[in-house]
Structures are given as structure tokens and as C-alpha cells.
Amino acid sequence: MRRRAVAVAALGATLTVAAGCAGGGDGFRDDANAICAEFEAEIDAVETPTSFDQLNESAAQVADLLEEATAELRELDPPGDLEDAYGDWLDLNDAAVANARKISDAAEQEDQAQITELAGLAEQNEQEADALAEQLDLDECKTDEPATETSDR
């Protein structure tokens, strides 16, 4: 969602940054992966934008979905040895939500330069989140594929 004229696909990827669940390590991972898979499917269903108006809508939809996923993930109780990394990962989710909302606002203003800058921030966020998801062994919470740029707005 971000890269292309930005961007919703990458945004989707950034949003994929979710994590954990209640119970022990495996139960926690199973629950977190289930939440991530559910919301990733919903994010994947968001239409790839071809205009600023569509990007505004798509980015807002992705932000809402990521916010909802993160709220569910916050209800989980990771094992003690994963708490810090999980907390950092959830913080990246919060940052992805804020960034998606900024992309939506920039699209409303048809500010391509701001969209491009925010897409770069989304990519950095996505990379950091993927690294933490890897550390947490949350395979469904990692980006499936690198985001690609799409043509103009």
C-alpha cells in the first residue's frame, strides 16, 4: 500500500506486523498466527489503489484493520521470555496504524512527495516488524513477499 503511488499493498504488509496470544509459547504462537492470518486475508482483500481517492480509502481501511488486529493481539499473554520483543512488535503495529492514517491524509491532499516519504517509513517498519516476528516465531505475522512499487498514483 505504500510503495506505489503509493501504496496500499505495502501498507498491507506493514500491517501484517502482528503478534501473540495467550497461554504458553506454542499456544501463544498458534493464537497470534491465527489472528495474523485472519487479518492478513482481510488486508489482502483491500483494493489496490489507482488514484489518490482510492489510496485515501484503502489506507484508511488498512489502518482500521491493523488497529483491530493489534487490539486483539494486545489481549494475548506472551510467555515471559517473549514479553519485551512482543511489546516492541506491538509498538511497531501502532506505528504502522499511525503511518497508514498519514498516508490516507496525504492521499486526500494529493501530496505524492509525502506519500513517498511515508511509504519509505512503512517499509522500514515492515522490515523491523518482520525481524521481530521471526524472533517470536510468528510465521503468519511476517510479510509474505516484498512490496513492489506501482505506477503513478
Side-chain angles (χ1 to χ4, degrees), residues 9-66:
L11 234 160
T14 295
L15 308 180
T16 302
V17 230
C21 301
D26 287 340
F28 163 81
R29 287 181 179 96
D30 290 346
D31 291 344
N33 280 319
I35 291 170
C36 290
E38 173 189 343
F39 280 94
E40 181 62 18
E42 291 185 45
I43 289 168
D44 285 347
V46 173
E47 183 178 344
T48 300
T50 59
S51 69
F52 285 118
D53 286 342
Q54 288 176 353
L55 177 60
N56 177 313
E57 292 176 26
S58 295
Q61 287 176 325
V62 170
D64 290 346
L65 288 168
L66 183 57

Side-chain angles (χ1 to χ4, degrees), residues 4-5 8-9 13 22 32 35 37 44 49 60 71 74-75 82 86 92 113 135:
R4 31 258 156 253
V8 154
I35 291 170
D44 285 347
R74 284 195 187 287
E75 293 177 12
L82 300 180
Y86 186 66
L92 288 170
Q135 180 182 339

Side-chain angles (χ1 to χ4, degrees), residues 79-91:
D81 61 330
L82 300 180
E83 284 180 3
D84 289 343
Y86 186 66
D88 291 344
W89 189 69
L90 291 174
D91 289 345

